[in-house]
Amino acid sequence: MRINKGVEWAGHACALLVPLWPDRGLPLSALAEFHALPEPYMAKQMQALARAGIVTGGRGRSGFYTLARAPAEITLLDILLAVDGDEPMFRCSEIRQNGPCASKPADCKVPCNIAAGFWRAEEAYRASLAQVDLATLAGAVAAQLGPEKTARAGAWISGNVRTRG
């Protein structure tokens, strides 16, 4: 399984917005600059998050993004689905109906154990992502960074923050 880079970038952008919720946010340029990412590609991720109702705003040069819901209500699964979509990671092609010992379609009414195993694993993966909310994650990120780097990031964010109203 491979998660596209856009999911990672969207997750980091959302984590930057957590301490600013509900009334403050960051412009697209700042969200891209913070991690030295290309602004057009960050725009694509932020638009996907906006369509999914995870962030709001971002219109025009003076626009900025804010979280659309409380950080505790947004999960890593929400971010993954917003950016990568809801398509299953595994798609059964019924390979058991091919080759010299092929099964007849009538004998394949029940999913094979291979497909069932992949689907169970994907369900567990998604359930695990659904348990990680942005509020908890942001606290863990700050703790991992330590006080000096957290203060430096906070100062940078303060210099780029926009307020509603």
Side-chain angles (χ1 to χ4, degrees):
M1 165 193 61
R2 186 177 300 243
I3 297 174
N4 107 43
K5 288 180 183 179
V7 174
E8 176 188 7
W9 296 2
H12 279 280
C14 287
L16 282 176
L17 297 174
V18 168
L20 305 176
W21 185 83
D23 296 323
R24 298 175 300 152
L26 291 170
L28 175 65
S29 59
L31 290 167
E33 179 187 339
F34 191 82
H35 289 102
L37 301 173
E39 192 172 316
Y41 196 69
M42 179 57 81
K44 180 180 174 185
Q45 311 323 310
M46 298 310 292
Q47 290 164 3
L49 292 171
R51 280 191 301 276
I54 294 171
V55 300
T56 59
R59 290 175 178 78
R61 291 297 285 161
S62 63
F64 61 94
Y65 286 96
T66 61
L67 293 177
R69 304 189 309 262
E73 296 173 6
I74 300 169
T75 68
L76 289 181
L77 180 61
D78 296 328
I79 295 168
L80 173 77
L81 296 177
V83 176
D84 266 358
D86 197 18
E87 291 291 316
M89 292 185 295
F90 177 80
R91 289 174 199 81
C92 179
S93 65
E94 281 300 344
I95 194 170
R96 61 190 172 165
Q97 293 178 29
N98 299 338
C101 300
S103 297
K104 296 176 187 166
D107 296 335
C108 298
K109 300 226 185 276
V110 174
C112 73
N113 290 327
I114 306 272
F118 276 109
W119 290 329
R120 277 192 310 274
E122 184 172 350
E123 283 177 19
Y125 166 70
R126 287 180 180 222
S128 178
L129 289 176
Q131 292 177 4
V132 182
D133 66 82
L134 282 179
T136 304
L137 188 64
V141 168
Q144 185 180 43
L145 291 177
E148 182 182 317
K149 195 163 183 181
T150 299
R152 213 170 59 222
W156 185 91
I157 290 169
S158 292
N160 287 280
V161 72
R162 300 281 193 329
T163 304
R164 263 185 230 186

